[in-house]
């Protein structure tokens, strides 16, 4: 029987630790941690993600403030807001909810965020520290995946790991984190030749291509671990309904693998949890609090 890597369950366990940590330290800090979320425009999926983040913050005791800007604001105005939040001592973390409308330069905006408040871990300073294997904010989805693997004591060191996708959000930082943990990492992408053959070598295969059901059992080695990062809403067999799926054709792959992540309930919940961890990490550093949560940051 293959093991389900249950991100929902692990995220609830970590949230309980975070809740206790805030409760035990807020007297010293004299305030709870604060997270600012900047959303621009009306992308409906972004609305759902921001709401989820807001709810998760309130579950553990983080104060969240949402700045929902109209898409007719100017790049300069967003930069000014970021600068104001950089200087706000009650804000420990800040993120720009992506995607934002095309007229904005999202990378420039992210580079305006003070690296110590960059809870998405996407600022070039934090990415640079990841490359150097130095402690820093880590991007949330990759850090969540590492914690999921660790939670089931799945060894990374020495394992052949294939990551499908090379985005700044997932594939690249994840490959670096796994490399820092002594995995033998192959990063693949849309121009990779013989993807099937490359994947079949993997002890741990991670699919972050953003293509529904791209990976079937023919890509997977017997006994491998498979992590599905993709999340897609597709039509269900009942025509009027939709359902969620990932990049992996799970029903085909599960009988062959040692462990797998479900969609939903695998990587997704861990992403939000790592955002909370990063926010608390910044709060901890600002007030010199005990560092009992540091092992959650790969
Ligand atoms: P992206 O589109 O920025 O990057 C996709 C990457 O996959 C690219 O590097 C591309 O070269 C590669 N790729 C595309 N088609 C491929 C193919 N046929 N074969 C091999 N490589 C291919 O996407 P992203 O932001 O990295 O996200 C990837 C997926 O993960 C999406 O489905 C996204 O919704 C999901 N996601 C989920 C979470 C979560 O919390 N669960 C977080 C972030 C992203």
């Amino acid at each position: 029987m293959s093991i389900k890597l249950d991100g929902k369950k692990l995220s609830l366990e970590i949230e309980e630790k975070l809740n206790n940590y805030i409760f035990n330290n807020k007297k010293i800090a004299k305030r709870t941690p604060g997270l600012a979320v900047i959303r621009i425009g009306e992308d409906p999926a972004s609305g759902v993600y921001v709401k989820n983040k807001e709810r998760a913050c309130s579950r553990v005791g983080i104060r969240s403030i949402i700045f929902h800007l109209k898409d007719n604001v100017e790049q300069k105005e967003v930069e000014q807001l970021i600068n104001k939040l950089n200087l706000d001592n009650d804000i420990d973390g800040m993120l720009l909810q992506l995607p934002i409308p095309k007229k904005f330069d999202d990378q420039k905006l992210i580079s305006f965020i003070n690296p110590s408040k960059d809870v998405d871990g996407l600022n070039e300073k934090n990415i640079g520290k990841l490359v150097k294997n130095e402690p820093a904010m880590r991007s949330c989805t990759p850090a969540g995946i590492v914690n999921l693997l660790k939670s089931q004591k799945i060894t990374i060191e020495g394992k052949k790991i294939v990551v499908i996708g090379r985005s700044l959000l997932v594939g690249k930082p994840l490959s670096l984190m796994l490399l820092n943990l002594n995995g033998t990492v192959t990063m693949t992408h849309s121009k990779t030749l013989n993807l099937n053959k490359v994947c079949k070598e993997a002890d741990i295969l991670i699919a972050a291509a953003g293509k529904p059901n791209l990976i079937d059992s023919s890509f997977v080695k017997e006994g491998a671990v498979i992590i599905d990062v993709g999340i897609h809403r597709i039509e269900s067999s009942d025509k009027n309904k939709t359902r969620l799926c990932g990049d992996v054709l799970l029903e085909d792959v599960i009988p062959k693998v040692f462990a797998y992540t479900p969609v939903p309930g695998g990587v997704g919940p861990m992403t939000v949890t790592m955002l909370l961890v990063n926010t608390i990490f910044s709060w901890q550093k600002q007030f010199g609090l005990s560092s009992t949560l540091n092992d959650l940051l790969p």
Side-chain angles (χ1 to χ4, degrees), residues 55-80:
R55 285 201 194 105
C57 282
S58 80
R59 284 198 298 273
V60 299
I62 293 175
R63 187 176 66 99
S64 63
I65 311 169
I66 315 299
F67 294 86
H68 187 177
L69 310 178
K70 299 251 178 285
D71 52 13
N72 62 3
V73 291
E74 296 297 323
Q75 170 98 10
K76 266 266 160 286
E77 293 174 74
V78 190
E79 290 172 6
Q80 280 161 2

Side-chain angles (χ1 to χ4, degrees), residues 49 141 164-167 169-171 188-191 195 208-211 214 229-232 247 267-268 271:
Y49 291 133
T141 302
I164 310 172
R166 58 175 164 185
S167 71
L169 194 62
V170 186
T188 66
H189 47 79
S190 54
K191 303 281 186 271
L195 183 68
K211 297 281 177 282
L214 173 73
V229 186
I231 182 128
H232 315 280
D247 285 2
V267 173
T271 299

Side-chain angles (χ1 to χ4, degrees), residues 31 33 36 40 42 50 66 86 90 94 117 143 178 274 289:
R31 65 164 178 80
I40 310 176
E42 299 305 324
V50 168
I66 315 299
N86 280 338
D90 289 338
M94 166 188 355
K117 296 191 179 190
L178 296 166
M274 291 314 299
L289 307 172

Side-chain angles (χ1 to χ4, degrees), residues 21 63 69 83 130 145 151 167 177 189 197 206 259-260 262 264:
Y21 184 85
R63 187 176 66 99
L69 310 178
N83 277 333
L130 173 62
I145 293 169
S151 74
S167 71
M177 281 177 214
H189 47 79
K197 192 163 167 261
I206 304 176
Y260 68 96

Side-chain angles (χ1 to χ4, degrees), residues 272-293:
V272 180
T273 299
M274 291 314 299
L275 173 68
L276 307 176
V277 171
N278 277 340
T279 305
I280 296 171
F281 179 62
S282 167
W283 182 66
Q284 170 201 298
K285 276 182 65 179
Q286 193 183 156
F287 292 101
L289 307 172
S290 67
S291 54
T292 50
L293 298 173

Side-chain angles (χ1 to χ4, degrees), residues 1-5 215-218 220-228 248-263:
M1 257 274 277
S2 14
I3 300 172
K4 177 165 91 170
L5 300 172
I215 303 303
D216 63 21
S217 61
S218 72
V220 180
K221 182 169 85 173
E222 193 82 43
V225 172
I226 183 127
I227 304 289
D228 193 352
V248 179
L249 188 58
L250 266 186
E251 62 269 28
D252 188 41
V253 163
I254 287 175
K256 208 171 173 184
V257 295
F258 170 70
Y260 68 96
T261 54
V263 175

